Amino acid sequence: MDRTDFMQPASVADGPASRRVLPGRGAVTNPEGRFAATRSVPVDDGWTRLEDEDASVVTEVRPERARTLITQNASPDIPFDRSINPYRGCEHGCIYCYARPAHAYVDLSPGLDFETRILFKADAERLLTQELAKPGYRCRPIAFGTNTDPYQPLERRLRVTRRLLELLSAHDHPVTITTRGAAILDDLELLADMARRDLVSVGVSLTTLDDDLKRILEPRTPSGTARLRTIRALREAGVPVGVMTAPIIPAINDAELESLLEAAAEAGAERANWILLRLPNEVAALFRAWLAEHYPDRAAHVLSLVRQSRGGRLNDPRFGSRMRGDGAFASLIAQRFQIAVRRLGLSDRSPRLCTSGFRPPVVDVTSAPDASSSQLGLF
């Protein structure tokens, strides 16, 4: 049995009374993170009923003081070795998001907290400047959107992603971006300028063209039609753009695979990729609760297909199989994808970006907050 099968929090296991579908929110529960010292269970004390409570949850936003900005990784099954996530948590509310467990590291729930209590990197520009200026820094494309979406709704107000892109553009540093957010078009002029210097490529995630499914699966994301418009606008502006059909969820959206690829190719996507549903740590319990609420008639079938594709478990974290799975169902998806990609003339390779023009920023250590520990200004 997968350990995620028995990690289900009490608030999920207690039944429908502990679950609530809130307008514009994906998670139907708010369980404690796996590092929490205590567990809470909803109890009817006769004074307040869940159905009498306010049916909306306001998004809380607060700054996060990070020590570093660029995250390094050595995973052999992803095409980048460094990334930036301007936000922790994501208002898009995608129930399947594998970044949800990260909220447990700041004593927040991977459930509703993940999509309603958002942290942003307040010192992002300063941190990035310092990291790019380090003498040993070697320029390689930085990936945006590897955990939470850099163009989630808050970006239109906070503009953290925009300021980081402006900094990277000013120093001719290449980036890759993965997003569901239509707010990326606010930066179209900047991205087009970077594209002319081979400094950017974009992947637009397209999960479904069914608006009813989108509203419960990824409630605060743009519609599939809007994402196709984003692909078209990026392509017309000269920005290399591809489509990410992810995640493929057995018996939920897998039947749409070919139609998603066809629509993206027609809109101008040049390349395509796919990822099978991943359910790490607390995401498994959250997804099970979501299925029980929205698809009780097929929940067992969906989970059975997931287990068939994950060696009998709900999640397989091994490099080489975690993205695509194995077994008959995963093999069939892979074959369907390859046939469609060949028919549509889509590539599965990302464009090569230019790293040779990078010019590191000059840091004045006399005005830097950590000047006492930095000697960059001496060189």
Side-chain angles (χ1 to χ4, degrees):
M1 178 181 290
D2 182 6
R3 74 185 187 95
T4 55
D5 288 346
F6 53 83
M7 283 179 61
Q8 186 168 334
S11 59
V12 175
D14 284 345
S18 63
R19 297 196 298 261
R20 285 194 300 160
V21 179
L22 300 177
R25 301 301 181 183
V28 297
T29 58
N30 202 41
E32 294 86 353
R34 62 193 182 283
F35 304 119
T38 61
R39 292 286 184 267
S40 62
V41 178
V43 175
D44 183 2
D45 60 3
W47 290 93
T48 303
R49 297 178 302 172
L50 288 176
E51 57 266 31
D52 292 335
E53 294 181 0
D54 189 355
S56 65
V57 179
V58 176
T59 301
E60 300 177 19
V61 184
R62 64 174 185 259
E64 178 180 21
R65 300 293 176 180
R67 293 184 179 180
T68 61
L69 191 69
I70 301 176
T71 299
Q72 305 284 343
N73 76 79
S75 304
D77 53 356
I78 53 178
F80 56 86
D81 66 356
R82 63 199 68 185
S83 61
I84 289 177
N85 289 288
Y87 302 96
R88 185 191 294 270
C90 186
E91 203 174 6
H92 278 160
C94 305
I95 187 58
Y96 52 75
C97 183
Y98 58 77
R100 284 180 177 272
H103 246 44
Y105 291 105
V106 288
D107 294 327
L108 294 173
S109 171
L112 283 171
D113 282 354
F114 177 79
E115 50 196 281
T116 61
R117 302 177 73 176
I118 314 297
L119 286 72
F120 69 95
K121 305 294 174 61
D123 288 342
E125 294 166 274
R126 179 182 64 82
L127 291 171
L128 181 57
T129 298
Q130 290 182 346
E131 291 177 54
L132 295 180
K134 290 180 179 178
Y137 182 80
R138 296 294 177 265
C139 178
R140 290 176 58 85
I142 296 177
F144 282 69
T146 59
N147 252 17
T148 56
D149 201 312
Y151 285 103
Q152 59 179 287
L154 285 172
E155 171 62 16
R156 281 200 154 121
R157 176 161 61 91
L158 298 179
R159 309 298 279 160
V160 182
T161 300
R162 168 73 187 209
R163 292 194 296 273
L164 293 175
L165 289 178
E166 288 175 336
L167 175 59
L168 291 165
S169 176
H171 295 282
D172 291 314
H173 195 299
V175 300
T176 65
I177 302 171
T178 302
T179 185
R180 293 169 170 77
I184 191 173
L185 295 184
D186 295 349
D187 295 341
L188 188 58
E189 185 176 346
L190 172 62
L191 295 173
D193 176 64
M194 295 180 73
R196 285 190 286 270
R197 290 174 281 150
D198 294 326
L199 294 178
V200 66
S201 70
V202 176
V204 176
S205 180
L206 187 61
T207 317
T208 181
L209 296 176
D210 181 339
D211 288 342
D212 291 332
L213 173 58
K214 186 216 75 75
R215 274 190 284 271
I216 58 174
L217 185 67
E218 29 186 48
R220 297 202 176 193
T221 62
S223 67
T225 302
R227 294 184 221 182
L228 293 173
R229 287 197 297 266
T230 297
I231 292 174
R232 183 172 290 108
L234 288 166
R235 179 64 183 273
E236 291 175 352
V239 179
V241 60
V243 62
M244 176 72 78
T245 51
I248 296 298
I249 307 174
I252 298 293
N253 73 337
D254 64 287
E256 293 189 72
L257 178 58
E258 287 82 2
S259 60
L260 294 174
L261 292 170
E262 290 166 3
E266 183 179 354
E270 304 160 282
R271 63 188 190 279
N273 210 331
W274 71 282
I275 296 176
L276 187 69
L277 174 70
R278 297 172 57 195
L279 297 174
N281 298 310
E282 295 95 332
V283 183
L286 292 165
F287 186 73
R288 288 168 57 168
W290 180 87
L291 280 175
E293 186 66 42
H294 296 289
Y295 292 101
D297 56 332
R298 71 176 88 166
H301 180 52
V302 173
L303 295 175
S304 174
L305 290 173
V306 171
R307 289 190 175 95
Q308 290 175 40
S309 305
R310 297 296 187 187
R313 300 174 293 173
L314 288 181
N315 188 56
D316 179 2
R318 294 176 302 164
F319 294 142
S321 62
R322 59 177 181 157
M323 300 296 186
R324 301 293 172 81
D326 50 29
F329 180 83
S331 177
L332 178 60
I333 294 296
Q335 292 176 42
R336 288 171 53 195
F337 178 85
Q338 290 299 330
I339 291 171
V341 162
R342 286 195 298 268
R343 174 170 56 85
L344 297 167
L346 294 169
S347 172
D348 60 356
R349 296 180 179 274
S350 298
R352 292 184 63 87
L353 300 179
C354 179
T355 59
S356 60
F358 171 64
R359 296 168 291 103
V362 176
V363 176
D364 179 7
V365 298
T366 61
S367 60
D370 55 351
S372 61
S373 62
S374 174
Q375 299 296 314
L376 292 176
L378 300 178
F379 298 94

